[in-house]
Amino acid sequence: MIGHDEAWAVWRAARAGHRMHHGWILAGREGLGKASFARAAAADLVAEPGVPQPLPEAHPDIHLLEPLPNNEDEAKKRDEGKPYLRKRNISVDQIRGVQRRLVTRPTMGARRAVIIDAADDLEKGAVNALLKSLEEPPVGTFFLLVTHQIGRLLPTVRSRCMVLRFQPLGPEDMARALAAEAPQLGGAALEAAIAAGRGAPGAALAFAELELGGAWQIMARLVAEGDPDLALRAELSTTLGQRPDRERLLALVEAARRTLVEAMPRSDDAKRLRIVEAHAALTSLAAQVPTYNFEPALLLLEIGGLLASVARTRENAA
């Protein structure tokens, strides 16, 4: 849990008190490690001195609610330990299923924990069902609600919970976290992942898995040098291959926007204006890529052109 000393300090101070609050919201942008914190905190809650404890994912007193597999085929992938597609929401039936288990005593001790990852994904009916448990929590039951956008939670939910906020990690902590999780990363790939992650190790790892480090370097050159002969744009297309999937294209658009943000502090006023204009165009593209069937080569040409338009070159002057 690199970089979250403050969150742990708040949690341990609450644990040391006489009456620990039954509901906690773990708030912060996606990829910061909130879900990992929730599992570790839940294990801390339910542990009994002198009693051997299973891992959190196998503990009978730790209940994890997350979107279910999208269908039977995806459920088989999950059971085989493979990546799988999930449904968009956590259903009211899932909440009620856990509530039926909460009427019994905890299995291994005096406490149990319910982790909801993420509370942003709760259906409306599921939120209403959860409120009943938050209003009248069973004895010894604690709720940990992971949320990426706390503003999406109902005020009635927020008012019944303590809020534990998670901040983005600094560059040094990001490097330590990535070294622990992905020691094979190094050089430009590591630098690109840290920059693209924006303080969120999970986002950095996801970026690294898409192998966009080379594209990141080219995009930085486009912003700094321009591309009057289209050579860098050709390199960008080559780096991504002939038929990059939609996930990689979306990640590339986000990386292009981040490249512009990184360039902003080093730019004069005129260049900053061009950065703002290019960023707005990329934001529009980001909204279109999930639904429009873009030809990848043309999309990459457009992205490269927007980045190149930021540089002060003869091409821009013309």
Side-chain angles (χ1 to χ4, degrees), residues 29 174 191-200 203-204 207 216 254-255 258 262:
R29 60 166 296 213
M174 283 287 288
E191 292 178 11
I194 290 174
R198 292 184 295 157
F207 181 86
W216 179 274
E254 181 57 34
R258 186 62 190 168
E262 292 283 318

Side-chain angles (χ1 to χ4, degrees), residues 12-58:
R12 287 170 180 145
R15 289 279 284 123
H18 296 296
R19 293 188 62 184
M20 184 169 178
H21 203 281
H22 68 277
W24 290 77
I25 292 173
L26 312 184
R29 60 166 296 213
E30 191 169 3
L32 290 175
K34 302 185 300 298
S36 297
F37 183 98
R39 287 165 173 77
D44 173 62
L45 268 173
V46 303
E48 292 287 339
V51 179
Q53 300 289 312
L55 293 173
E57 53 268 24

